[in-house]
Amino acid sequence: MPEHSKFLLADSQIPSVWVNVLPSLPEPMDPPLHPGTRAPLAPQDLMPLFPMELIEQEFSPKPFVDIPGEVMDIYRLWRATPLYRARRLEKLLDTPAHIYYKYEGTSPAGSHKPNTAVPQAYYNKRAGIKRLATETGAGQWGSALSLACQLFGLECTVYMVRVSYDQKPYRRMMMHTWGAEVFPSPSEHTNAGRGVLAAAPDSPGSLGIAISEAVEDAATHDDTNYALGSVLNHVMLHQTVIGQEAKLQMEQAGEEPEVVIGCFGGGSNFGGLALPYVLDRLAGKGPRIVAVEPAACPSLTKGTLAYDYGDTAKLTPLIKMYTLGHDFVPPGIHAGGLRYHGASPLLSHLLKLGQIEAKSYRQLPVFEAALSFARTEGILPAPESSHAIRAAVDEALLAREEGRQRVILFCLSGHGHFDLSSYESYLTGKLQDYEYPGQDVARALAEV
Ligand SMILES: Cc1ncc(COP(=O)(O)O)c(C=O)c1O
C-alpha cells in the first residue's frame, strides 16, 4: 500500500456554510462598548465602518450562515486547501506522533486571509461602497484585501506597518499589482499617523497604529468602509471553512486529532481551524486546542483580560479581550502578522472558559523549527505559521519522550516566499531573540 501524505477534497465538498459558535457558548460574551459613551454598542454604531450584512454576522445568533454563491465561485479558485501528513518531519523527529497540517498557503495571496477578504469585499460592494481602507502587518492581509477588492471592482487603501513596509517590498508590489495604494504607517495621511510621527519620528509602527489610520480614513470618507483582517467575530466566522474542511480530511485519513494548534496574531487562522473543534468540545468531546504567540508580543499568556481599544488612537469600540495595552508597540520581530496588542474577544472568552490553551515562543526556536519543516516537507513557511510548527514539533517530541502515539493537527497559515529577508537574517546568524518587554507592557497596561 502506498503511504498517503496528501488528503484532498472535491469542489462539491467545499463547505457551503460558515459555522458560528456564538449561540453555543455556555456563557455569553461581554458586549463591545461605544468608545465615547461606554454603553453597549448598538449595531448601527458600526455603520460608519461596516456594511449591515457584516454587522449582523458580528452578532449573529444563527448556528450557520450560508456562503453566498459569488463568494463560493471565488473560493473555488483555491479551496479546498490540502491537508498533509508530515511523514518526513515525523521521521526527522523520530517520533511515534502523527503530524498533520492544513495548508492555507495555496491561496493566490499565500495565506488564509482571502477566506475573509473575499466575503468582506463582496458585502461592501453590495452595500454600494466604493473603497475599502485597511491596515496590514506582514502584508498578507493587505495583499488578500487588494486581490478581493480587485475582483469586486473596489478601490483599496492599505496602511502597512513601517517595519514590514521596509522588510517586505515585494508584498507592497503585489498589492500594487492588484491595484491598491499602500502607505507606510505611521503616515502623514491621517491625524492618527501624524500624531505618532510627531512623538516618535522613527516609530516602527504597529498594527494598533495602522488600524487607527485605516479607521480614521474610513470614518472621514462617505464612500469608504473599513475592513479588518482578524479579531472580529465575522472574521472568525468566515475562517471556519478551514476547520470544516480539515475535519472531513482527517476523517479521510482515518484519524482524530488529540491536539489542534494554530499561531495567534488576532486569532483568525487559529480560530478558523479550531472553532469547529470547539463546538465538539462544547458538546462534550473534542481535542486540546493550543494558540501559539510570540514571546515578544504575548497578549494571551501575559496580557490582561480587560476592555481595551483595538487601536492606538482609541477610535475603535472597546472590546473585552486579552490585551497588552493599546499603546504597546511590540519589538520588530519578523512575524509581523503577530505584532498585535490585543486578541479576538471570542477566543479570549474561550481562553477564560478553559476551552483553549495558549503558549509563547521566542523567534529563534521558531525559525529553527521552520528550517526543519522546510528541509523535510519542502514548504518554506511564513514566520507567523512557524510558531505553530514549533509547538507541533514540541508536542511530537513529548510523544517521543512518553513513548506513545498521538495525533497532532496544526494550521500552516501561509508560505514565506516574501519573508526571505527573515530567513537570510536567521541563516547568517543575525536574527535576534527579543526578551519579553515587561516594562513596556506594564506602562501600556496602566493606560487600560
Ligand atoms: C501567514 C500568517 N499567519 C498568521 C497571521 C496572524 O493573523 P491571525 O492571528 O489573524 O491568523 C498572519 C497575519 O498577517 C499571517 O500573515
Side-chain angles (χ1 to χ4, degrees):
M1 282 282 282
E3 285 190 332
H4 287 288
S5 294
K6 183 156 101 277
F7 301 90
L8 302 174
L9 298 176
D11 279 8
S12 58
Q13 292 172 291
I14 301 172
S16 58
V17 295
W18 294 302
V19 295
N20 183 16
V21 300
L22 294 182
S24 306
L25 292 173
E27 277 175 35
M29 291 167 61
D30 291 318
L33 306 180
H34 191 284
T37 63
R38 292 198 162 236
L41 209 65
Q44 57 272 22
D45 294 333
L46 290 171
M47 284 181 69
L49 298 182
F50 301 110
M52 206 25 133
E53 284 176 293
L54 286 177
I55 298 172
E56 280 165 9
Q57 289 179 5
E58 193 59 26
F59 301 102
S60 177
K62 294 189 215 149
F64 303 104
V65 176
D66 288 331
I67 305 178
E70 286 166 76
V71 172
M72 286 299 289
D73 287 344
I74 296 177
Y75 273 180
R76 271 192 292 273
L77 293 176
W78 74 91
R79 303 215 71 83
T81 60
L83 177 92
Y84 291 97
R85 173 143 171 223
R87 291 186 189 270
R88 288 178 174 75
L89 180 64
E90 289 168 14
K91 227 167 253 158
L92 176 80
L93 301 173
D94 189 23
T95 176
H98 293 182
I99 307 174
Y100 291 86
Y101 60 97
K102 177 74 168 154
Y103 183 39
E104 287 294 308
T106 57
S107 80
S111 77
H112 62 297
K113 297 287 183 182
N115 297 334
T116 183
V118 170
Q120 290 197 46
Y122 166 79
Y123 290 117
N124 275 290
K125 177 74 179 182
R126 266 164 62 104
I129 289 298
K130 298 276 178 285
R131 182 169 69 98
L132 289 180
T134 197
E135 72 293 326
T136 196
Q140 290 270 20
W141 166 243
S143 332
L145 194 70
S146 305
L147 167 68
C149 284
Q150 181 59 232
L151 294 174
F152 285 107
L154 294 169
E155 292 168 40
C156 185
T157 303
V158 181
Y159 294 87
M160 184 171 189
V161 173
R162 172 102 243 172
V163 60
S164 294
Y165 188 90
D166 295 337
Q167 275 171 357
K168 300 185 184 184
Y170 296 116
R171 271 278 163 208
R172 200 192 321 149
M173 288 168 210
M174 193 176 197
M175 292 184 257
H176 284 150
T177 303
W178 281 323
E181 58 176 354
V182 186
F183 300 124
S185 168
S187 79
E188 293 287 351
H189 292 267
T190 62
N191 283 330
R194 285 188 290 273
V196 175
L197 286 174
D202 294 332
S203 169
S206 69
L207 278 169
I209 296 167
I211 292 173
S212 296
E213 294 207 83
V215 167
E216 180 184 324
D217 184 338
T220 51
H221 294 91
D222 284 345
D223 63 353
T224 303
N225 265 352
Y226 170 65
L228 186 61
S230 191
V231 179
L232 297 177
N233 294 343
H234 66 264
V235 180
M236 302 300 133
L237 179 78
H238 300 156
Q239 292 291 358
T240 59
V241 287
I242 304 174
Q244 292 182 75
E245 286 177 7
K247 288 183 93 174
L248 290 177
Q249 289 162 310
M250 288 301 301
E251 234 173 75
Q252 229 183 72
E255 305 220 69
E256 280 278 337
E258 184 181 316
V259 57
V260 169
I261 299 169
C263 71
F264 197 102
S268 73
N269 85 92
F270 169 77
L273 178 64
L275 288 171
Y277 287 103
V278 165
L279 284 171
D280 291 349
R281 285 182 60 100
L282 293 174
K285 77 170 181 61
R288 276 176 59 220
I289 300 178
V290 183
V292 192
E293 58 184 10
C297 189
S299 40
L300 299 178
T301 51
K302 293 269 174 55
T304 301
L305 182 60
Y307 272 108
D308 193 12
Y309 298 96
D311 71 318
T312 306
K314 307 190 206 176
L315 301 175
T316 68
L318 284 153
I319 48 182
K320 184 88 173 278
M321 61 180 176
Y322 282 96
T323 178
L324 297 167
H326 56 268
D327 280 338
F328 175 63
V329 177
I333 51 167
H334 282 273
L338 307 186
R339 293 178 68 243
Y340 185 58
H341 67 274
S344 145
L346 171 58
L347 296 167
S348 295
H349 188 60
L350 288 168
L351 181 62
K352 184 195 81 173
L353 294 177
Q355 290 297 338
I356 64 172
E357 306 164 27
K359 68 193 301 189
S360 70
Y361 285 106
R362 297 201 187 159
Q363 63 180 354
L364 279 173
V366 164
F367 271 88
E368 186 196 337
L371 251 73
S372 300
F373 186 81
R375 289 175 177 178
T376 49
E377 295 302 308
I379 297 170
L380 203 146
E384 290 81 4
S385 321
S386 304
H387 287 71
I389 299 176
R390 176 76 256 173
V393 164
D394 283 356
E395 290 283 342
L397 292 175
L398 190 66
R400 184 176 76 186
E401 249 171 58
E402 292 173 353
R404 74 180 186 91
Q405 210 254 49
R406 77 168 56 170
V407 179
I408 300 163
L409 167 64
F410 74 90
C411 185
L412 188 68
S413 53
H415 67 64
H417 297 177
F418 295 92
D419 300 280
L420 292 172
S421 66
S422 331
Y423 278 88
E424 186 187 22
S425 300
Y426 179 72
L427 291 168
T428 55
K430 291 192 199 113
L431 199 83
Q432 264 184 284
D433 236 351
Y434 288 97
E435 290 301 316
Y436 164 61
Q439 278 186 344
D440 293 349
V441 170
R443 208 173 304 123
L445 278 176
E447 298 298 316
V448 172

